[in-house]
Amino acid sequence: EAQVTQNPRYLITVTGKKLTVTCSQNMNHEYMSWYRQDPGLGLRQIYYSMNVEVTDKGDVPEGYKVSRKEKRNFPLILESPSPNQTSLYFCASSSASGWGDIQYFGAGTRLSVL
Amino acid sequence: AQSVSQHNHHVILSEAASLELGCNYSYGGTVNLFWYVQYPGQHLQLLLKYFSGDPLVKGIKGFEAEFIKSKFSFNLRKPSVQWSDTAEYFCAVNSDFNKFYFGSGTKLNVKP
């Protein structure tokens, strides 16, 4: 089954404790992206990647890092989480460069930073 | 930065009522437009998309949307909603080549 898998689904952590949210897709997609969803703000793009070793900033990249060492994986790293990063996070992938293509979303990771 | 505005944050309708959700975007260049839907407890999934050609596009489950370039709008419509349409709806714009911008979402509650 074609899917985008995020782990963990739920995470509670404390300020300053580094964490990684994993994202994996099994569709051989080139384009992958991370979003955060906050009430009243919709989804905002954090980072995206057009292919292996190619990443770029979205609208709200501050406080986040990403890497794309393999085509299927695109982890999101919070090196020193803060309470304002409490949010619902989605990973997505699409088959082409991203331009005009349909994105497939993961189930989301709900993060609480205390 | 681009922006996408969804003016209806929460809509409550009875079954069989007609639906129109507004979406306006700020980018003046070439755009691709999408509506995504998030049913309770499920992933976001594509409802419909516009890339080029006929500005009236049809999607799944009887939804359609009309792209009006002069108004920078891409409104979503459905003639007769069902209880199963209860969900949150997001308008999205793909501009700046690889970037995506989403609206704040509209929660639709359909009363049986």
Side-chain angles (χ1 to χ4, degrees):
Chain A
E1 182 191 351
Q3 59 185 7
V4 177
T5 304
Q6 295 178 228
N7 279 298
R9 292 290 313 281
Y10 302 92
L11 180 59
I12 301 174
T13 190
V14 295
T15 299
K17 186 176 181 183
K18 181 179 179 179
L19 66 91
T20 299
V21 183
T22 64
C23 175
S24 179
Q25 49 92 5
N26 63 359
M27 296 169 278
N28 202 36
H29 283 171
E30 293 174 353
Y31 183 91
M32 296 185 75
S33 183
W34 275 103
Y35 297 88
R36 60 178 288 173
Q37 182 182 8
D38 301 291
L41 297 176
L43 280 80
R44 292 178 292 169
Q45 195 169 31
I46 303 171
Y47 270 95
Y48 62 92
S49 168
M50 292 172 61
N51 215 323
V52 175
E53 302 293 0
V54 181
T55 63
D56 210 343
K57 296 177 181 179
D59 234 17
V60 288
E62 294 78 21
Y64 304 95
K65 283 178 60 176
V66 293
S67 68
R68 188 92 182 272
K69 293 183 171 49
E70 303 168 285
K71 197 171 187 178
R72 63 181 292 128
N73 296 323
F74 190 45
L76 180 69
I77 303 157
L78 285 73
E79 297 222 322
S80 183
S82 62
N84 64 14
Q85 292 179 298
T86 292
S87 188
L88 178 58
Y89 291 87
F90 289 101
C91 180
S93 72
S94 63
S95 61
S97 64
W99 173 245
D101 207 359
I102 301 164
Q103 293 187 86
Y104 297 86
F105 285 84
T109 296
R110 190 168 291 279
L111 171 66
S112 293
V113 183
L114 305 177
Chain B
Q2 313 311 319
S3 67
V4 179
S5 299
Q6 290 182 242
H7 305 296
N8 316 101
H9 299 296
H10 199 172
V11 173
I12 302 173
L13 294 172
S14 298
E15 276 195 314
S18 64
L19 170 72
E20 180 159 3
L21 301 182
C23 173
N24 288 90
Y25 61 94
S26 64
Y27 189 64
T30 302
V31 294
N32 297 311
L33 300 158
F34 306 82
W35 276 97
Y36 281 87
V37 61
Q38 189 174 29
Y39 298 103
Q42 294 189 27
H43 303 196
L44 274 103
Q45 56 187 280
L46 183 73
L47 203 53
L48 48 79
K49 65 184 190 291
Y50 171 79
F51 290 171
S52 62
D54 188 345
L56 184 62
V57 293
K58 296 190 184 300
I60 61 172
K61 303 185 180 185
F63 285 90
E64 64 179 31
E66 185 176 13
F67 170 51
I68 302 179
K69 190 173 182 180
S70 60
K71 294 185 178 180
F72 299 92
S73 70
F74 189 55
N75 294 352
L76 181 71
R77 299 195 292 249
K78 185 171 184 178
S80 176
V81 295
Q82 301 172 316
W83 176 78
S84 59
D85 293 324
T86 294
E88 189 161 16
Y89 294 80
F90 294 92
C91 180
V93 173
N94 178 203
S95 66
D96 292 343
F97 196 62
N98 288 309
K99 291 188 176 181
F100 286 84
Y101 300 90
F102 282 76
S104 56
T106 297
K107 288 186 178 176
L108 172 64
N109 195 342
V110 180
K111 298 185 293 183

Short mmCIF file of all heavy atoms in Angstrom, two decimals, chain A residues 4 31 33 35 37-38 40-45 48 50 57-59 88 90 94 97-107, chain B residues 1-2 9 30-32 34 36 38 41-46 49 51 88 90 94-105:
data_model
loop_
_atom_site.label_atom_id
_atom_site.label_comp_id
_atom_site.label_asym_id
_atom_site.label_seq_id
_atom_site.Cartn_x
_atom_site.Cartn_y
_atom_site.Cartn_z
N VAL A 4 2.68 7.37 3.33
CA VAL A 4 3.69 8.18 3.99
C VAL A 4 3.55 7.89 5.48
O VAL A 4 2.46 8.05 6.03
CB VAL A 4 3.47 9.69 3.71
CG1 VAL A 4 4.49 10.51 4.46
CG2 VAL A 4 3.55 9.96 2.21
N TYR A 31 9.94 14.44 -4.27
CA TYR A 31 9.67 15.64 -3.47
C TYR A 31 9.08 15.25 -2.13
O TYR A 31 8.14 14.45 -2.05
CB TYR A 31 8.69 16.53 -4.23
CG TYR A 31 8.36 17.85 -3.59
CD1 TYR A 31 9.08 19.00 -3.87
CD2 TYR A 31 7.28 17.96 -2.71
CE1 TYR A 31 8.77 20.22 -3.29
CE2 TYR A 31 6.96 19.17 -2.14
CZ TYR A 31 7.70 20.30 -2.44
OH TYR A 31 7.38 21.51 -1.87
N SER A 33 8.17 17.04 1.97
CA SER A 33 7.97 18.33 2.62
C SER A 33 7.46 18.13 4.04
O SER A 33 6.80 17.12 4.34
CB SER A 33 6.96 19.16 1.81
OG SER A 33 6.79 20.43 2.37
N TYR A 35 5.26 20.16 7.17
CA TYR A 35 4.35 21.25 7.50
C TYR A 35 4.04 21.20 9.00
O TYR A 35 4.08 20.14 9.61
CB TYR A 35 3.02 21.11 6.75
CG TYR A 35 3.14 21.19 5.26
CD1 TYR A 35 3.38 20.05 4.50
CD2 TYR A 35 2.99 22.40 4.60
CE1 TYR A 35 3.49 20.12 3.12
CE2 TYR A 35 3.09 22.48 3.22
CZ TYR A 35 3.34 21.34 2.49
OH TYR A 35 3.44 21.41 1.13
N GLN A 37 0.77 22.46 11.50
CA GLN A 37 -0.61 22.94 11.47
C GLN A 37 -0.96 23.51 12.83
O GLN A 37 -0.89 22.81 13.85
CB GLN A 37 -1.58 21.80 11.12
CG GLN A 37 -3.02 22.26 11.02
CD GLN A 37 -3.98 21.12 10.71
OE1 GLN A 37 -3.60 19.95 10.71
NE2 GLN A 37 -5.23 21.46 10.42
N ASP A 38 -1.36 24.76 12.85
CA ASP A 38 -1.74 25.44 14.08
C ASP A 38 -3.14 26.03 13.91
O ASP A 38 -3.48 26.49 12.82
CB ASP A 38 -0.73 26.54 14.41
CG ASP A 38 0.68 26.00 14.58
OD1 ASP A 38 0.89 25.29 15.59
OD2 ASP A 38 1.53 26.25 13.71
N GLY A 40 -6.18 28.17 13.36
CA GLY A 40 -6.34 29.48 12.75
C GLY A 40 -5.27 29.86 11.74
O GLY A 40 -5.39 30.90 11.07
N LEU A 41 -4.24 29.05 11.63
CA LEU A 41 -3.14 29.37 10.71
C LEU A 41 -3.03 28.37 9.57
O LEU A 41 -2.25 28.58 8.63
CB LEU A 41 -1.82 29.43 11.46
CG LEU A 41 -1.70 30.50 12.53
CD1 LEU A 41 -0.36 30.37 13.26
CD2 LEU A 41 -1.85 31.90 11.93
N GLY A 42 -3.74 27.29 9.62
CA GLY A 42 -3.65 26.29 8.57
C GLY A 42 -2.31 25.57 8.58
O GLY A 42 -1.66 25.46 9.63
N LEU A 43 -1.90 25.08 7.43
CA LEU A 43 -0.61 24.41 7.32
C LEU A 43 0.43 25.39 6.80
O LEU A 43 0.18 26.11 5.83
CB LEU A 43 -0.71 23.24 6.34
CG LEU A 43 -1.31 21.94 6.85
CD1 LEU A 43 -2.83 22.02 6.85
CD2 LEU A 43 -0.85 20.77 6.00
N ARG A 44 1.56 25.37 7.42
CA ARG A 44 2.67 26.20 6.97
C ARG A 44 3.88 25.31 6.69
O ARG A 44 4.22 24.45 7.49
CB ARG A 44 3.01 27.26 8.03
CG ARG A 44 1.92 28.31 8.21
CD ARG A 44 2.29 29.30 9.30
NE ARG A 44 2.30 28.68 10.61
CZ ARG A 44 2.78 29.24 11.70
NH1 ARG A 44 3.32 30.45 11.62
NH2 ARG A 44 2.75 28.61 12.86
N GLN A 45 4.50 25.58 5.56
CA GLN A 45 5.60 24.73 5.10
C GLN A 45 6.88 25.07 5.87
O GLN A 45 7.28 26.24 5.96
CB GLN A 45 5.81 24.90 3.61
CG GLN A 45 6.67 23.84 2.97
CD GLN A 45 6.62 23.92 1.45
OE1 GLN A 45 6.46 24.98 0.86
NE2 GLN A 45 6.76 22.77 0.80
N TYR A 48 11.38 21.72 2.57
CA TYR A 48 11.05 20.76 1.54
C TYR A 48 12.34 20.26 0.89
O TYR A 48 13.42 20.85 1.06
CB TYR A 48 10.11 21.36 0.48
CG TYR A 48 10.67 22.54 -0.29
CD1 TYR A 48 11.34 22.36 -1.49
CD2 TYR A 48 10.48 23.84 0.19
CE1 TYR A 48 11.83 23.44 -2.20
CE2 TYR A 48 10.97 24.93 -0.51
CZ TYR A 48 11.64 24.72 -1.70
OH TYR A 48 12.13 25.79 -2.41
N MET A 50 13.70 18.48 -2.85
CA MET A 50 13.39 18.08 -4.21
C MET A 50 14.01 16.74 -4.58
O MET A 50 13.60 16.12 -5.55
CB MET A 50 13.84 19.16 -5.19
CG MET A 50 13.03 20.43 -5.08
SD MET A 50 13.71 21.76 -6.06
CE MET A 50 13.62 21.05 -7.71
N LYS A 57 14.37 25.89 2.47
CA LYS A 57 13.49 26.41 3.50
C LYS A 57 12.11 26.71 2.94
O LYS A 57 11.96 27.19 1.82
CB LYS A 57 14.08 27.70 4.08
CG LYS A 57 15.40 27.50 4.79
CD LYS A 57 15.95 28.85 5.28
CE LYS A 57 17.28 28.65 5.97
NZ LYS A 57 17.85 29.94 6.43
N GLY A 58 11.13 26.44 3.78
CA GLY A 58 9.77 26.85 3.48
C GLY A 58 9.50 28.18 4.13
O GLY A 58 10.37 29.03 4.26
N ASP A 59 8.29 28.33 4.62
CA ASP A 59 7.87 29.60 5.20
C ASP A 59 8.30 29.80 6.65
O ASP A 59 8.52 30.92 7.09
CB ASP A 59 6.34 29.68 5.13
CG ASP A 59 5.89 30.93 4.45
OD1 ASP A 59 6.72 31.57 3.76
OD2 ASP A 59 4.71 31.28 4.59
N LEU A 88 0.92 20.38 15.44
CA LEU A 88 0.66 19.13 14.71
C LEU A 88 1.49 19.18 13.43
O LEU A 88 1.38 20.13 12.66
CB LEU A 88 -0.83 19.02 14.38
CG LEU A 88 -1.30 17.81 13.58
CD1 LEU A 88 -0.95 16.52 14.30
CD2 LEU A 88 -2.81 17.89 13.35
N PHE A 90 2.94 17.52 9.82
CA PHE A 90 2.65 16.61 8.72
C PHE A 90 3.82 16.53 7.76
O PHE A 90 4.41 17.55 7.41
CB PHE A 90 1.43 17.09 7.92
CG PHE A 90 0.13 16.95 8.64
CD1 PHE A 90 -0.47 18.05 9.24
CD2 PHE A 90 -0.51 15.72 8.72
CE1 PHE A 90 -1.66 17.92 9.91
CE2 PHE A 90 -1.71 15.57 9.39
CZ PHE A 90 -2.29 16.69 9.99
N SER A 94 5.50 13.93 -3.01
CA SER A 94 4.88 13.92 -4.34
C SER A 94 5.90 13.43 -5.35
O SER A 94 7.10 13.48 -5.12
CB SER A 94 4.33 15.29 -4.74
OG SER A 94 5.37 16.23 -4.83
N SER A 97 8.79 17.22 -9.17
CA SER A 97 9.61 18.20 -8.48
C SER A 97 8.83 18.94 -7.40
O SER A 97 9.39 19.70 -6.63
CB SER A 97 10.13 19.22 -9.48
OG SER A 97 9.04 19.94 -10.04
N GLY A 98 7.53 18.73 -7.37
CA GLY A 98 6.69 19.47 -6.43
C GLY A 98 5.80 20.44 -7.15
O GLY A 98 4.69 20.70 -6.72
N TRP A 99 6.21 20.94 -8.28
CA TRP A 99 5.45 21.93 -9.02
C TRP A 99 4.18 21.31 -9.58
O TRP A 99 4.20 20.50 -10.48
CB TRP A 99 6.30 22.53 -10.14
CG TRP A 99 5.55 23.45 -11.06
CD1 TRP A 99 5.30 23.26 -12.39
CD2 TRP A 99 4.94 24.69 -10.72
NE1 TRP A 99 4.58 24.31 -12.89
CE2 TRP A 99 4.35 25.22 -11.90
CE3 TRP A 99 4.84 25.43 -9.54
CZ2 TRP A 99 3.68 26.44 -11.92
CZ3 TRP A 99 4.16 26.65 -9.58
CH2 TRP A 99 3.61 27.13 -10.75
N GLY A 100 3.08 21.71 -9.00
CA GLY A 100 1.79 21.28 -9.50
C GLY A 100 1.41 19.86 -9.22
O GLY A 100 0.37 19.40 -9.69
N ASP A 101 2.20 19.16 -8.45
CA ASP A 101 1.88 17.75 -8.25
C ASP A 101 1.08 17.54 -6.98
O ASP A 101 1.14 18.33 -6.05
CB ASP A 101 3.17 16.94 -8.19
CG ASP A 101 2.96 15.51 -8.65
OD1 ASP A 101 1.81 15.16 -9.00
OD2 ASP A 101 3.94 14.76 -8.66
N ILE A 102 0.34 16.45 -6.97
CA ILE A 102 -0.47 16.12 -5.80
C ILE A 102 0.44 15.66 -4.68
O ILE A 102 1.36 14.86 -4.90
CB ILE A 102 -1.45 15.00 -6.15
CG1 ILE A 102 -2.35 15.42 -7.30
CG2 ILE A 102 -2.28 14.60 -4.92
CD1 ILE A 102 -3.08 14.26 -7.93
N GLN A 103 0.19 16.13 -3.49
CA GLN A 103 0.95 15.68 -2.33
C GLN A 103 0.16 14.61 -1.57
O GLN A 103 -1.06 14.70 -1.43
CB GLN A 103 1.26 16.84 -1.41
CG GLN A 103 2.22 17.86 -2.03
CD GLN A 103 2.63 18.90 -1.04
OE1 GLN A 103 3.57 18.75 -0.28
NE2 GLN A 103 1.91 20.01 -1.05
N TYR A 104 0.91 13.65 -1.07
CA TYR A 104 0.34 12.61 -0.23
C TYR A 104 0.85 12.84 1.19
O TYR A 104 2.06 12.99 1.40
CB TYR A 104 0.74 11.23 -0.74
CG TYR A 104 0.20 10.95 -2.12
CD1 TYR A 104 0.89 11.36 -3.25
CD2 TYR A 104 -1.03 10.30 -2.28
CE1 TYR A 104 0.39 11.13 -4.52
CE2 TYR A 104 -1.53 10.06 -3.55
CZ TYR A 104 -0.82 10.49 -4.67
OH TYR A 104 -1.33 10.27 -5.92
N PHE A 105 -0.09 12.85 2.13
CA PHE A 105 0.25 13.24 3.49
C PHE A 105 0.33 12.05 4.43
O PHE A 105 -0.41 11.07 4.29
CB PHE A 105 -0.78 14.24 4.03
CG PHE A 105 -0.64 15.61 3.45
CD1 PHE A 105 -1.21 15.94 2.24
CD2 PHE A 105 0.07 16.59 4.14
CE1 PHE A 105 -1.07 17.21 1.70
CE2 PHE A 105 0.22 17.87 3.61
CZ PHE A 105 -0.36 18.18 2.39
N GLY A 106 1.20 12.20 5.43
CA GLY A 106 1.22 11.26 6.53
C GLY A 106 0.08 11.55 7.51
O GLY A 106 -0.66 12.51 7.34
N ALA A 107 -0.02 10.72 8.54
CA ALA A 107 -1.13 10.82 9.49
C ALA A 107 -0.93 11.94 10.50
O ALA A 107 -1.87 12.30 11.21
CB ALA A 107 -1.31 9.50 10.23
N ALA B 1 5.86 37.24 0.87
CA ALA B 1 5.34 35.88 0.95
C ALA B 1 3.90 35.85 0.44
O ALA B 1 3.18 36.82 0.52
CB ALA B 1 5.38 35.37 2.38
N GLN B 2 3.57 34.71 -0.13
CA GLN B 2 2.22 34.56 -0.63
C GLN B 2 1.27 34.33 0.53
O GLN B 2 1.66 33.95 1.62
CB GLN B 2 2.16 33.37 -1.59
CG GLN B 2 3.27 33.35 -2.60
CD GLN B 2 3.45 34.67 -3.29
OE1 GLN B 2 2.49 35.34 -3.64
NE2 GLN B 2 4.68 35.08 -3.48
N HIS B 9 -14.46 30.24 8.51
CA HIS B 9 -13.68 29.38 9.39
C HIS B 9 -14.49 28.17 9.85
O HIS B 9 -13.94 27.09 10.07
CB HIS B 9 -13.19 30.18 10.59
CG HIS B 9 -12.31 31.32 10.20
ND1 HIS B 9 -11.09 31.13 9.58
CD2 HIS B 9 -12.47 32.65 10.28
CE1 HIS B 9 -10.53 32.31 9.32
NE2 HIS B 9 -11.36 33.25 9.74
N THR B 30 1.88 32.59 -12.24
CA THR B 30 1.30 31.28 -12.53
C THR B 30 1.18 30.48 -11.24
O THR B 30 2.11 30.40 -10.45
CB THR B 30 2.19 30.52 -13.51
OG1 THR B 30 2.31 31.29 -14.71
CG2 THR B 30 1.57 29.17 -13.85
N VAL B 31 0.02 29.92 -11.03
CA VAL B 31 -0.21 29.14 -9.83
C VAL B 31 -0.90 27.82 -10.18
O VAL B 31 -1.56 27.71 -11.20
CB VAL B 31 -1.07 29.88 -8.79
CG1 VAL B 31 -0.35 31.09 -8.24
CG2 VAL B 31 -2.42 30.26 -9.39
N ASN B 32 -0.71 26.87 -9.32
CA ASN B 32 -1.52 25.66 -9.32
C ASN B 32 -2.34 25.70 -8.05
O ASN B 32 -1.86 26.11 -6.99
CB ASN B 32 -0.64 24.41 -9.34
CG ASN B 32 0.20 24.34 -10.61
OD1 ASN B 32 -0.31 24.50 -11.71
ND2 ASN B 32 1.49 24.11 -10.44
N PHE B 34 -5.30 23.92 -5.34
CA PHE B 34 -5.77 22.65 -4.80
C PHE B 34 -6.80 22.90 -3.70
O PHE B 34 -6.77 23.92 -3.01
CB PHE B 34 -4.61 21.87 -4.16
CG PHE B 34 -3.43 21.64 -5.05
CD1 PHE B 34 -2.47 22.63 -5.21
CD2 PHE B 34 -3.26 20.44 -5.70
CE1 PHE B 34 -1.36 22.43 -6.02
CE2 PHE B 34 -2.15 20.22 -6.52
CZ PHE B 34 -1.20 21.21 -6.67
N TYR B 36 -7.79 20.46 -0.45
CA TYR B 36 -7.56 19.23 0.28
C TYR B 36 -8.64 19.12 1.36
O TYR B 36 -9.15 20.13 1.86
CB TYR B 36 -6.19 19.22 0.95
CG TYR B 36 -5.04 18.91 0.02
CD1 TYR B 36 -4.42 19.92 -0.71
CD2 TYR B 36 -4.59 17.60 -0.14
CE1 TYR B 36 -3.37 19.63 -1.58
CE2 TYR B 36 -3.54 17.31 -1.00
CZ TYR B 36 -2.94 18.32 -1.71
OH TYR B 36 -1.89 18.03 -2.57
N GLN B 38 -9.71 17.02 5.07
CA GLN B 38 -9.26 16.19 6.20
C GLN B 38 -10.50 15.72 6.95
O GLN B 38 -11.10 16.48 7.71
CB GLN B 38 -8.33 16.98 7.11
CG GLN B 38 -7.65 16.15 8.17
CD GLN B 38 -6.63 16.96 8.95
OE1 GLN B 38 -6.75 18.18 9.10
NE2 GLN B 38 -5.60 16.29 9.45
N GLY B 41 -10.04 12.19 11.95
CA GLY B 41 -9.17 11.05 12.19
C GLY B 41 -8.44 10.52 10.98
O GLY B 41 -7.80 9.46 11.06
N GLN B 42 -8.51 11.22 9.87
CA GLN B 42 -7.86 10.71 8.66
C GLN B 42 -6.80 11.68 8.15
O GLN B 42 -6.68 12.80 8.61
CB GLN B 42 -8.91 10.48 7.57
CG GLN B 42 -9.90 9.38 7.89
CD GLN B 42 -10.78 9.04 6.71
OE1 GLN B 42 -10.40 9.22 5.55
NE2 GLN B 42 -11.96 8.53 7.01
N HIS B 43 -6.02 11.19 7.15
CA HIS B 43 -4.99 12.01 6.53
C HIS B 43 -5.64 13.10 5.69
O HIS B 43 -6.77 12.96 5.22
CB HIS B 43 -4.14 11.18 5.56
CG HIS B 43 -3.48 10.00 6.19
ND1 HIS B 43 -2.44 9.33 5.58
CD2 HIS B 43 -3.70 9.34 7.34
CE1 HIS B 43 -2.06 8.34 6.35
NE2 HIS B 43 -2.81 8.32 7.41
N LEU B 44 -4.89 14.14 5.42
CA LEU B 44 -5.31 15.08 4.38
C LEU B 44 -5.28 14.36 3.04
O LEU B 44 -4.35 13.60 2.74
CB LEU B 44 -4.33 16.25 4.28
CG LEU B 44 -4.57 17.41 5.20
CD1 LEU B 44 -3.59 17.37 6.34
CD2 LEU B 44 -4.40 18.72 4.43
N GLN B 45 -6.29 14.61 2.25
CA GLN B 45 -6.31 14.00 0.91
C GLN B 45 -6.83 15.01 -0.10
O GLN B 45 -7.57 15.92 0.24
CB GLN B 45 -7.18 12.73 0.92
CG GLN B 45 -8.59 12.93 1.40
CD GLN B 45 -9.33 11.61 1.53
OE1 GLN B 45 -9.80 11.06 0.55
NE2 GLN B 45 -9.43 11.12 2.74
N LEU B 46 -6.45 14.78 -1.34
CA LEU B 46 -6.79 15.72 -2.40
C LEU B 46 -8.27 15.61 -2.76
O LEU B 46 -8.79 14.51 -2.95
CB LEU B 46 -5.95 15.44 -3.64
CG LEU B 46 -6.18 16.41 -4.79
CD1 LEU B 46 -5.53 17.76 -4.46
CD2 LEU B 46 -5.60 15.85 -6.08
N LYS B 49 -8.00 19.65 -8.10
CA LYS B 49 -6.87 20.52 -8.40
C LYS B 49 -7.11 21.25 -9.72
O LYS B 49 -7.85 20.78 -10.58
CB LYS B 49 -5.59 19.69 -8.50
CG LYS B 49 -5.58 18.68 -9.65
CD LYS B 49 -4.32 17.85 -9.63
CE LYS B 49 -4.18 17.01 -10.89
NZ LYS B 49 -5.16 15.93 -11.01
N PHE B 51 -4.69 23.05 -12.73
CA PHE B 51 -3.37 23.37 -13.24
C PHE B 51 -3.49 24.36 -14.40
O PHE B 51 -2.78 25.35 -14.48
CB PHE B 51 -2.64 22.12 -13.74
CG PHE B 51 -2.23 21.18 -12.64
CD1 PHE B 51 -1.74 19.92 -12.94
CD2 PHE B 51 -2.34 21.53 -11.31
CE1 PHE B 51 -1.36 19.05 -11.93
CE2 PHE B 51 -1.97 20.67 -10.29
CZ PHE B 51 -1.47 19.42 -10.62
N GLU B 88 -12.65 19.09 7.58
CA GLU B 88 -12.00 20.38 7.47
C GLU B 88 -11.43 20.49 6.06
O GLU B 88 -10.81 19.54 5.55
CB GLU B 88 -10.89 20.55 8.50
CG GLU B 88 -10.34 21.97 8.55
CD GLU B 88 -9.59 22.30 9.83
OE1 GLU B 88 -9.23 21.37 10.59
OE2 GLU B 88 -9.37 23.50 10.08
N PHE B 90 -9.15 22.58 3.16
CA PHE B 90 -8.02 23.50 3.01
C PHE B 90 -7.81 23.83 1.55
O PHE B 90 -7.70 22.94 0.70
CB PHE B 90 -6.73 22.87 3.54
CG PHE B 90 -6.72 22.63 5.03
CD1 PHE B 90 -7.12 21.42 5.55
CD2 PHE B 90 -6.31 23.63 5.90
CE1 PHE B 90 -7.11 21.19 6.93
CE2 PHE B 90 -6.28 23.42 7.28
CZ PHE B 90 -6.69 22.19 7.79
N ASN B 94 0.20 26.48 -5.08
CA ASN B 94 1.57 26.10 -5.38
C ASN B 94 2.15 27.19 -6.27
O ASN B 94 1.78 27.31 -7.43
CB ASN B 94 1.56 24.75 -6.07
CG ASN B 94 2.93 24.25 -6.49
OD1 ASN B 94 3.03 23.42 -7.39
ND2 ASN B 94 3.98 24.72 -5.86
N SER B 95 3.02 27.99 -5.69
CA SER B 95 3.68 29.04 -6.46
C SER B 95 5.15 29.01 -6.08
O SER B 95 5.60 28.12 -5.38
CB SER B 95 3.06 30.40 -6.15
OG SER B 95 3.31 30.74 -4.80
N ASP B 96 5.92 29.98 -6.50
CA ASP B 96 7.35 29.98 -6.19
C ASP B 96 7.99 28.63 -6.48
O ASP B 96 8.85 28.18 -5.74
CB ASP B 96 7.59 30.34 -4.72
CG ASP B 96 7.22 31.79 -4.43
OD1 ASP B 96 7.08 32.56 -5.40
OD2 ASP B 96 7.05 32.11 -3.26
N PHE B 97 7.51 28.00 -7.49
CA PHE B 97 7.99 26.73 -8.02
C PHE B 97 7.78 25.54 -7.10
O PHE B 97 7.02 24.65 -7.39
CB PHE B 97 9.47 26.83 -8.41
CG PHE B 97 9.90 25.68 -9.29
CD1 PHE B 97 9.31 25.49 -10.52
CD2 PHE B 97 10.85 24.78 -8.88
CE1 PHE B 97 9.67 24.43 -11.34
CE2 PHE B 97 11.23 23.71 -9.68
CZ PHE B 97 10.64 23.53 -10.91
N ASN B 98 8.45 25.50 -5.97
CA ASN B 98 8.34 24.30 -5.13
C ASN B 98 7.66 24.54 -3.79
O ASN B 98 7.60 23.64 -2.97
CB ASN B 98 9.73 23.73 -4.87
CG ASN B 98 10.30 23.08 -6.09
OD1 ASN B 98 9.64 22.25 -6.71
ND2 ASN B 98 11.49 23.47 -6.46
N LYS B 99 7.17 25.73 -3.57
CA LYS B 99 6.57 26.03 -2.27
C LYS B 99 5.06 25.92 -2.34
O LYS B 99 4.44 26.17 -3.37
CB LYS B 99 6.97 27.44 -1.84
CG LYS B 99 8.44 27.56 -1.48
CD LYS B 99 8.75 28.91 -0.87
CE LYS B 99 10.20 28.96 -0.43
NZ LYS B 99 10.53 30.27 0.21
N PHE B 100 4.49 25.55 -1.21
CA PHE B 100 3.06 25.43 -1.09
C PHE B 100 2.57 26.34 0.03
O PHE B 100 3.20 26.43 1.08
CB PHE B 100 2.66 23.98 -0.78
CG PHE B 100 2.77 23.07 -1.96
CD1 PHE B 100 3.99 22.50 -2.29
CD2 PHE B 100 1.67 22.77 -2.74
CE1 PHE B 100 4.12 21.66 -3.38
CE2 PHE B 100 1.78 21.92 -3.83
CZ PHE B 100 3.00 21.37 -4.15
N TYR B 101 1.42 26.96 -0.21
CA TYR B 101 0.81 27.83 0.79
C TYR B 101 -0.62 27.36 1.00
O TYR B 101 -1.37 27.20 0.03
CB TYR B 101 0.84 29.29 0.35
CG TYR B 101 2.25 29.81 0.13
CD1 TYR B 101 2.84 29.70 -1.11
CD2 TYR B 101 2.98 30.36 1.17
CE1 TYR B 101 4.14 30.14 -1.32
CE2 TYR B 101 4.28 30.81 0.97
CZ TYR B 101 4.85 30.70 -0.28
OH TYR B 101 6.13 31.13 -0.48
N PHE B 102 -0.96 27.17 2.26
CA PHE B 102 -2.29 26.69 2.61
C PHE B 102 -3.08 27.79 3.31
O PHE B 102 -2.52 28.63 4.02
CB PHE B 102 -2.20 25.50 3.57
CG PHE B 102 -1.85 24.20 2.90
CD1 PHE B 102 -0.56 23.93 2.50
CD2 PHE B 102 -2.82 23.23 2.69
CE1 PHE B 102 -0.23 22.74 1.88
CE2 PHE B 102 -2.50 22.02 2.08
CZ PHE B 102 -1.21 21.79 1.67
N GLY B 103 -4.38 27.74 3.12
CA GLY B 103 -5.26 28.60 3.89
C GLY B 103 -5.42 28.06 5.31
O GLY B 103 -4.93 26.98 5.64
N SER B 104 -6.12 28.80 6.12
CA SER B 104 -6.28 28.44 7.53
C SER B 104 -7.31 27.34 7.75
O SER B 104 -7.44 26.84 8.85
CB SER B 104 -6.65 29.67 8.36
OG SER B 104 -7.81 30.27 7.83
N GLY B 105 -8.02 26.97 6.70
CA GLY B 105 -8.96 25.86 6.82
C GLY B 105 -10.38 26.32 7.14
O GLY B 105 -10.59 27.35 7.77
#
